[in-house]
Amino acid sequence: METQQNKTKNLSTAAVVQVAFMAAMIFVATYVIEIPVGTKAVLHIGDSMVFAGAVILGKRKAALASAIGMALFDILSPYAVWAPFTFVIKGLMGYIAGAIAYRKDYNGNNLVNNIFAFTVAGIWMIAGYFFAGGVIYKSFITAIGDITGNIIQVAAGIVIALPVIKALKLAKLKTN
């Protein structure tokens, strides 16, 4: 018979593995397709995995995986100066998407609610990077140049995430 301590330890180990796996998926999705746009921004498909993580893992694990995966990309790229901002912005993006996807009794299973969740989280990301850009560029006027690329990135992330989530649910990989 397994003790309560062993159950807690196993659950924690499983959670660590889930977060690490999703962080790796987010990093890879960000790294594989990376197109410089705007002033010093980059267009990528990593947001699709942030959204998928929010539905598959829930808000807390998605927040951690998103923060780690995206900040790791920044640290290992020419965009290292963005890493602290990315850690916070993408972490909250994953948290917001997961919190809304799981509100009421939706449990991440309502398509319209998930699109709403991803849109709200995307608006947070766009605003967050606008302010981060204003700080990094020392000019909010310059930061405006990155908004269009971020809008495209969020829209592409939503479009890609929806079938990915469906496939992961069919594969019974939903862990929350």
Side-chain angles (χ1 to χ4, degrees):
M1 185 170 172
E2 205 172 35
T3 67
Q4 183 62 31
Q5 185 179 11
N6 285 342
K7 285 182 185 178
T8 304
K9 184 178 179 183
N10 289 340
L11 180 62
S12 296
T13 302
V16 169
V17 170
Q18 292 165 354
V19 168
F21 181 76
M22 187 53 71
M25 292 300 296
I26 290 167
F27 172 80
V28 169
T30 306
Y31 185 80
V32 169
I33 297 178
E34 170 199 348
I35 304 165
V37 295
T39 312
K40 292 183 182 177
V42 62
L43 183 65
H44 56 75
I45 61 168
D47 288 350
S48 64
M49 292 298 106
V50 170
F51 297 144
V55 172
I56 300 302
L57 299 178
K59 63 187 178 188
R60 289 185 182 101
K61 290 187 237 176
L64 193 53
S66 300
I68 293 168
M70 289 288 192
L72 184 61
F73 167 79
D74 281 352
I75 290 167
L76 298 174
S77 76
Y79 310 102
V81 68
W82 291 89
F85 296 102
T86 293
F87 188 86
V88 173
I89 293 166
K90 294 296 185 166
L92 284 171
M93 182 183 182
Y95 188 90
I96 291 166
I100 295 172
Y102 278 85
R103 71 189 175 112
K104 298 183 182 179
D105 290 328
Y106 291 131
N107 297 320
N109 293 320
N110 184 294
L111 177 65
V112 174
N113 187 61
N114 287 350
I115 292 170
F116 175 68
F118 303 158
T119 301
V120 171
I123 291 169
W124 154 254
M125 184 210 75
I126 293 163
Y129 276 116
F130 169 73
F131 287 108
V135 170
I136 289 171
Y137 305 144
K138 296 180 174 78
S139 167
F140 287 98
I141 300 298
T142 304
I144 290 172
D146 295 338
I147 292 175
T148 302
N150 284 329
I151 291 170
I152 293 167
Q153 184 173 295
V154 168
I158 292 170
V159 169
I160 294 167
L162 296 173
V164 167
I165 292 165
K166 187 172 184 172
L168 291 173
K169 285 182 177 182
L170 287 173
K172 306 223 187 285
L173 290 179
K174 188 172 179 185
T175 64
N176 192 345

